């Protein structure tokens, strides 16, 4: 079952259970995927679907952070619920140990010795972690392990 079909199925379930909040979020995600398909002019592959979902999760996390800074308790719960729903469609996130191993392998492969080689390492690591790890977390770990 493709991601698009899975979301359609979950939309039907949300409609039947009258879960208006989940329904609204799922419809937004479906619309984002459809808009990306229209922009591309063809069906999205799984990597492109992950990119769209990762972008949405990142935006939801940023919104949650802003709501917390502003002390908006009413919006924090809503944003957290939306984040949980969208995150459900992403692959299992890599643990810190797995991520460090992956980065260390990339450092060894590229022969990186200083921060000048940061781009080489990131170029190797990011395609392998797509949708499985937060880019900022990867960035921080690469900087830590290179220096």
């Amino acid at each position: 079952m493709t991601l698009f079909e899975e979301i359609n199925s979950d939309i039907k379930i949300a409609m039947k259970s009258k879960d208006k909040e989940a329904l609204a979020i799922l419809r937004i995600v479906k619309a984002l995927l459809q808009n990306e398909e229209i922009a591309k002019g063809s069906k999205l592959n799984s990597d492109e679907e992950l990119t769209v979902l990762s972008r949405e999760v990142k935006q939801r996390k940023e919104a949650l952070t802003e709501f917390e800074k502003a002390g908006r308790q009413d919006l924090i719960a809503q944003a957290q619920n939306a984040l949980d729903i969208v995150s459900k469609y992403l692959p299992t996130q890599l643990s810190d140990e797995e991520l460090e191993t992956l980065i260390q392998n990339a450092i060894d492969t590229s022969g990186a010795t200083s921060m000048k080689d940061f781009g080489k390492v990131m170029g190797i690591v990011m395609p392998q972690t797509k949708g499985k790890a937060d880019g900022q977390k990867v960035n921080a770990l690469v900087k830590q392990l290179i220096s």
Side-chain angles (χ1 to χ4, degrees):
M1 178 182 286
T2 67
L3 179 65
F4 197 75
E5 291 168 347
E6 188 177 344
I7 290 172
N8 271 334
S9 173
D10 289 348
I11 286 174
K12 291 175 187 173
I13 291 168
M15 290 168 92
K16 288 178 183 177
S17 66
K18 297 184 180 171
D19 185 352
K20 291 181 181 179
E21 192 172 332
L23 181 61
I25 294 163
L26 289 170
R27 283 182 172 161
I28 289 170
V29 172
K30 180 181 175 183
L32 289 170
L33 290 169
Q34 287 175 325
N35 288 341
E36 196 72 22
E37 276 185 1
I38 291 168
K40 182 182 176 196
S42 63
K43 288 274 187 200
L44 298 177
N45 63 35
S46 60
D47 281 344
E48 292 165 333
E49 290 174 338
L50 279 178
T51 300
V52 172
L53 285 178
S54 296
R55 189 178 330 131
E56 184 65 12
V57 165
K58 182 179 178 185
Q59 288 175 350
R60 301 269 180 191
K61 283 182 181 177
E62 289 171 356
L64 185 61
T65 303
E66 292 301 317
F67 294 149
E68 288 171 350
K69 284 182 188 174
R72 295 291 309 265
Q73 296 302 319
D74 55 327
L75 296 176
I76 290 173
Q78 199 175 32
Q80 185 61 51
N81 185 34
L83 182 60
D84 293 342
I85 291 170
V86 177
S87 296
K88 172 176 101 170
Y89 299 102
L90 288 176
T92 306
Q93 298 295 296
L94 294 172
S95 69
D96 289 343
E97 295 80 28
E98 292 170 323
L99 199 52
E100 283 185 31
T101 302
L102 199 65
I103 292 169
Q104 194 58 53
N105 289 340
I107 290 171
D108 295 342
T109 302
S110 67
T113 56
S114 68
M115 284 303 289
K116 290 180 181 178
D117 302 318
F118 178 78
K120 289 179 188 176
V121 176
M122 288 297 284
I124 295 170
V125 173
M126 287 311 288
Q128 297 173 0
T129 61
K130 189 171 207 117
K132 297 178 185 174
D134 180 46
Q136 292 176 341
K137 186 176 183 181
V138 173
N139 186 320
L141 275 172
V142 169
K143 286 179 181 175
Q144 179 186 345
L145 292 173
I146 283 182
S147 51

